[in-house]
Amino acid sequence: MKIIFATNNAHKLDEVKHALQGAFELVSLTDVEFEGDIPETGNTLEHNAMQKANYIYERFGLPVFADDSGLEVDCLGGLPGVDTAHYSGTRDAIANMRKLLGAMEGEANRSAKFRTVIAYVSNAGEYLFSGEVAGHIATVMRGDQGFGYDPVFIPEGQPLTFAEMGMEAKSKMNHRVRATEKFTRWLNEGNG
Ligand code: ITT
């Protein structure tokens, strides 16, 4: 079964492909020769994930998988949340992390979580799955693997940031993989 992953983020594609271990064939936007941005105009991860999936489903008519993810920091009242990708006003990961570390300077409560919402759209309907990982925000950036906020996110019970541990270890505990596993189980039960 072929499913299009509606993302322009190559790191997400790698992570999800790795987590699937061949459960189904994930096709990229490049594979289907789609170029351009997919609108994300909602105020929630759920809205944006479904918007991305529907946008591509309407164009290709094949089953589509999309995710919207966000970092929710407790002392910032859940920010950056839905604005995680462009928190600093740009999509630059370093600028985004600098803004986050600045906003949290001197904060003792550094707890946070990453949350992913997956939307799946096919001729069977529209479905949502979620996954999260709790942790805290480091005081400086550490590590050079992964993407986005990985250098400042330390998952619960771990000494390392996601960027220090690498994809194999990150895949055992990350929000997107957890949501993907729920989706895969559901698909393997004959749904979708
Ligand atoms: P698509 O919309 O094309 O899928 P995107 O990068 O814009 O790609 P999102 O809208 O879901 O993705 O934005 C989520 C942002 O959250 C992403 O750009 C990263 O900065 C950050 N993020 C999400 N998952 C992450 C992870 O596992 N590690 C580090 N940062 C992550």
Side-chain angles (χ1 to χ4, degrees), residues 133-180:
V133 55
H136 62 276
I137 303 299
T139 50
V140 292
M141 300 175 208
R142 294 185 348 223
D144 54 11
Q145 301 179 73
F147 70 100
Y149 295 75
D150 281 347
V152 295
F153 188 81
I154 303 170
E156 207 162 65
Q158 297 293 318
L160 302 178
T161 66
F162 269 162
E164 290 174 309
M165 65 174 62
M167 201 205 302
E168 191 64 43
K170 181 184 172 190
S171 72
K172 294 195 166 67
M173 62 192 81
N174 95 56
H175 49 117
R176 185 169 303 98
V177 169
R178 285 178 177 165
T180 303

Side-chain angles (χ1 to χ4, degrees), residues 5-9 12 15 38 40 52 67-71 84-85 91 93 96 114 116 147-150 162 170 174-176:
F5 190 177
T7 183
N8 284 310
N9 183 327
K12 284 185 177 181
E15 272 191 13
I38 304 173
E40 278 181 66
K52 288 189 247 188
D67 93 272
D68 202 48
S69 302
L71 181 62
T84 299
R91 295 184 63 88
N96 285 339
F114 262 126
T116 286
F147 70 100
Y149 295 75
D150 281 347
F162 269 162
K170 181 184 172 190
N174 95 56
H175 49 117
R176 185 169 303 98

Side-chain angles (χ1 to χ4, degrees), residues 87-88 90-100 141 149:
Y87 183 45
S88 63
T90 74
R91 295 184 63 88
D92 182 70
I94 302 287
N96 285 339
M97 286 186 285
R98 283 208 178 116
K99 173 158 179 181
L100 181 67
M141 300 175 208
Y149 295 75

Side-chain angles (χ1 to χ4, degrees), residues 15 23-24 27 34 41 48-49 52 55-56 61 70 79 86 93-94 102 130 142 169 180:
E15 272 191 13
F24 54 86
V27 176
F34 174 85
T41 57
N48 286 344
K52 288 189 247 188
Y55 189 81
I56 295 301
L79 291 176
H86 40 81
I94 302 287
S130 65
R142 294 185 348 223
T180 303

